[in-house]
Amino acid sequence: MRRLAGKVAIITGAGTGIGQGIAKRFGCEGAKVIVDYIGDPAGAEETRRAIAQSGGEAETVLADITRSDDIRNLIDAAWNRFGSADILVNNAGMEVKSDFWETPETEFDKVMAVNMRGAFFLTQLFVRRLRDAKKPGRIVNISSVHEDMAFPGFTTYCCSKGALRMFMRNLAVELGPLGITVNNVAPGAIATPINEDLLADKRKVEALVRNIPLGRMGTPEDVAGLAAFLASDEGAYVSGSTFVVDGALMRSYREQ
Ligand code: BGC
């Protein structure tokens, strides 16, 4: 399917993990993609090459979404290279494990800066451009089941994802009159570098999978299909909701 033909998408954190999966999928769907990355140029280049091989177009942009100059460059890259942008996927995210009573201010600030503040101000620039051009648009935030579900040891992460939930709800209302839809995709346990510590521990993975009714961890591709739907014309009347992709993890309770 080429549901995103003629569209331009900016995807943050697209050199790895879920962001990379979404970028590749958007490329297959015909979108032109701005591949934002920070730590891993080789990963971003792999994303770009995969999109080119599927007949699409992409450009990699090194931009730290916590820096104002960088987010301006990221938005400019879309307009300079492809003439505009239609879709923003706020995917870049991080998590740090620490007991609540040990969490330093620097850790709180960093997690909030990447997961929430970065999405806030990048979205603001994106929306200003659309508003000035009188163009509709799509915003998809990759949050987490932890925008709703507790995750002991990851309170900063949960605070940031909970904030992203209200960010989405507020923007859906405030931007609706501009023709901009806003939704969250909430992945569960997806095998990506964000949880490499967990993936390295077979026993922890087995315990986690026992809690997932579909019996496996998810893949970036599992998330990408939903993001593509929300970004496409098929999602035109869908705004203001969170869509969970977690193999029913959130609904699971077992006595064992
Ligand atoms: C986190 C993972 C966690 C998963 C399920 C994700 O949002 O990034 O570390 O395994 O949620 O709890």
Side-chain angles (χ1 to χ4, degrees):
M1 271 194 283
R2 293 180 66 79
R3 292 180 293 184
L4 301 178
K7 305 285 189 210
V8 177
I10 301 168
I11 304 175
T12 64
T16 177
I18 292 173
Q20 184 176 59
I22 292 173
K24 288 179 179 174
R25 177 63 187 266
F26 278 25
C28 292
E29 297 274 2
K32 295 174 178 139
V33 184
I34 295 290
V35 175
D36 161 72
Y37 71 100
I38 173 168
D40 179 7
E45 180 51 26
E46 185 200 317
T47 310
R48 192 200 62 74
R49 211 174 319 116
I51 293 171
Q53 273 163 9
S54 62
E57 268 184 89
E59 178 153 316
T60 61
V61 179
L62 170 61
D64 175 347
I65 59 162
T66 67
R67 297 173 58 97
S68 315
D69 293 353
D70 282 18
I71 58 174
R72 199 160 301 117
N73 286 343
L74 185 60
I75 294 287
D76 283 345
W79 263 262
N80 293 341
R81 170 71 199 265
F82 297 127
S84 72
D86 310 275
I87 303 158
L88 171 64
V89 181
N90 286 310
N91 163 79
M94 63 173 291
E95 66 189 33
V96 184
K97 185 173 192 330
S98 55
D99 291 328
F100 170 68
W101 47 87
E102 299 293 350
T103 304
E105 287 182 16
T106 47
E107 186 183 305
F108 178 91
D109 290 345
K110 180 77 186 156
V111 172
M112 291 302 265
V114 174
N115 295 2
M116 181 62 242
R117 190 179 182 283
F120 189 109
F121 288 105
L122 178 60
T123 303
Q124 186 182 66
L125 290 184
F126 176 69
V127 165
R128 283 181 185 159
R129 292 282 182 113
L130 295 184
R131 181 201 58 189
D132 294 350
K134 296 194 171 25
K135 271 184 57 147
R138 295 274 193 279
I139 297 165
V140 180
N141 304 311
I142 307 305
S143 68
S144 165
V145 288
H146 300 300
E147 68 164 53
D148 199 36
M149 186 169 75
F151 195 12
F154 291 87
T155 301
T156 52
Y157 184 70
C158 290
C159 288
S160 69
K161 296 299 185 176
L164 212 46
R165 179 181 180 100
M166 282 313 296
F167 179 59
M168 172 276 292
R169 291 180 176 184
N170 242 58
L171 293 196
V173 175
E174 199 165 341
L175 305 184
L178 303 183
I180 300 172
T181 68
V182 193
N183 293 286
N184 281 10
V185 172
I190 311 297
T192 73
I194 205 173
N195 46 34
E196 62 195 356
D197 291 349
L198 169 97
L199 293 171
D201 187 332
K202 202 164 161 264
R203 288 235 308 273
K204 278 192 186 159
V205 173
E206 280 166 7
L208 171 64
V209 168
R210 275 198 294 277
N211 269 322
I212 302 175
L214 284 179
R216 64 171 175 90
M217 289 184 76
T219 64
E221 293 71 34
D222 289 323
V223 181
L226 183 54
F229 169 81
L230 291 171
S232 76
D233 288 345
E234 290 182 290
Y237 200 60
V238 182
S239 193
S241 290
T242 292
F243 298 89
V244 176
V245 190
D246 72 343
L249 170 67
M250 277 183 91
R251 302 288 173 244
S252 174
Y253 171 75
R254 277 159 211 267
E255 293 194 3
Q256 51 198 352

